[in-house]
Amino acid sequence: MSFADNRADSDTTMLLLAPRPESLWAFRRIWIRVAAIRGGGAIDMPGFGHSDGRPELIAPDGSGAFLARLIDEWGLGVPHVVGPDVGTAAALFLAAKAPERVTSLTIGGGAVRFPIDAGGALKEIIEAPTLDDVRALDARTNIGHAVELPAPSASEPGVHEDYVSAYDLGRFAESARFVRTCPKQNPVLRDLLPSITTTAERSNYLPGVIRNQRPSVAVRRPVPTASAKAW
C-alpha cells in the first residue's frame, strides 16, 4: 500500500484518495495546509498509483469496502474523505455501506454518471472488448501526455516520472478494471444515493483545487450525480 501519513495527533482526521492516473504526489500542493489542521493521510487505492491490488478490489464497491476496513485498521476514527476521480465512486460506496465510518465527503470527477457520460480515451477503455485491447495501448506515452499539465516533465520531472511509472508495465490495463465496471456498478450506486446521509460536497473544480488553481464550487447534499471530468 502506497500512503503518506502526517503523523499528527488530532481529533479531526482526513483521508485523501489519489486520482488516476496520478499518485500521492497529486496532493503535494495542499499537503502542508492539510497537515497543519488535521490528522490522517493519503493513499493510492488498491491497483492505483504505486499500490498493489487484487481484481476484486479494483472496482467501486470493492474499493469502498476496502476503505471501511482501512479506516478501522488504521484507527482513523470517522474521517473526512476527499475522493477526486476514481475516489468519487469508492467514497460514495463507503458512505452508503458504512456511513458510521465517514464524517463527510468531498468528491468530483470520475465516470459515475448514469448513463455513462464519457468520451475520448476513457470511453475507449470502458468499451474495449477485453483487457488485452487495453494492454495493447502504449501506456507510457498515453499517461505521459495525460499528466503533462498537472506535472510538466520539464519543471517537475520527478513527479512526472512517478505518475508514468505508476501505470507502466501492465498496471495501466489492470487499473482500467475499475472504470470498466462502471456500466454495471453505476446503476447500483444510483439506487444507493438516496440512502446516503453523510454530508457531501460535489465539486466540479476539485482537480483544480488540488492543483491550487482556483477555488472550489461545492454543492451540498443531496448528491444526485457526479459528472465525468478528465483529471
Side-chain angles (χ1 to χ4, degrees):
M1 171 62 62
S2 176
F3 69 94
D5 180 4
N6 66 7
R7 302 184 182 277
D9 184 11
S10 173
D11 293 333
T12 304
T13 58
M14 178 177 286
L15 179 60
L16 310 178
L17 312 177
R20 177 183 187 263
E22 299 173 63
S23 70
L24 296 175
W25 284 104
F27 301 112
R28 64 195 182 281
R29 294 189 176 98
I30 65 169
W31 185 253
I32 292 178
R33 284 178 287 171
V34 169
I37 60 174
R38 289 182 170 89
I43 66 167
D44 288 331
M45 293 196 306
F48 296 103
H50 294 280
S51 289
D52 294 331
R54 302 187 303 273
E56 65 269 23
L57 297 181
I58 310 175
D61 59 353
S63 292
F66 170 85
L67 292 175
R69 295 194 299 272
L70 180 141
I71 289 169
D72 282 348
E73 292 180 10
W74 285 12
L76 296 179
V78 189
H80 299 272
V81 177
V82 177
D85 193 69
V86 290
T88 293
L92 287 170
F93 268 106
L94 167 66
K97 297 292 188 177
E100 72 282 1
R101 290 185 174 89
V102 59
T103 294
S104 71
L105 307 179
T106 302
I107 54 178
V112 294
R113 183 183 293 276
F114 181 78
I116 292 285
D117 181 16
L122 179 58
K123 185 174 187 293
E124 293 178 6
I125 291 170
I126 292 173
E127 296 180 353
T130 68
L131 271 182
D132 286 337
D133 294 280
V134 181
R135 293 187 182 100
L137 300 174
D138 185 344
R140 173 163 280 270
T141 297
N142 288 333
I143 296 298
H145 287 312
V147 302
E148 182 62 27
L149 178 62
S153 55
S155 59
E156 293 188 287
V159 177
H160 184 92
E161 178 58 27
D162 184 83
Y163 290 168
V164 173
S165 64
Y167 293 95
D168 203 1
L169 303 176
R171 289 180 56 82
F172 176 73
E174 288 304 306
S175 70
R177 294 178 184 274
F178 191 99
V179 294
R180 286 171 60 82
T181 67
C182 289
K184 291 183 177 180
Q185 295 213 358
N186 284 8
V188 177
L189 186 55
R190 174 199 59 190
D191 294 340
L192 287 173
L193 286 179
S195 69
I196 295 177
T197 58
T198 302
T199 298
E201 294 181 352
R202 184 187 67 190
S203 173
N204 290 330
Y205 300 109
L206 183 56
V209 174
I210 290 175
R211 298 190 187 108
N212 199 25
Q213 292 172 342
R214 49 184 167 177
S216 170
V217 176
V219 179
R220 289 282 179 179
R221 287 200 76 257
V223 187
T225 62
S227 301
K229 184 177 178 66
W231 180 261

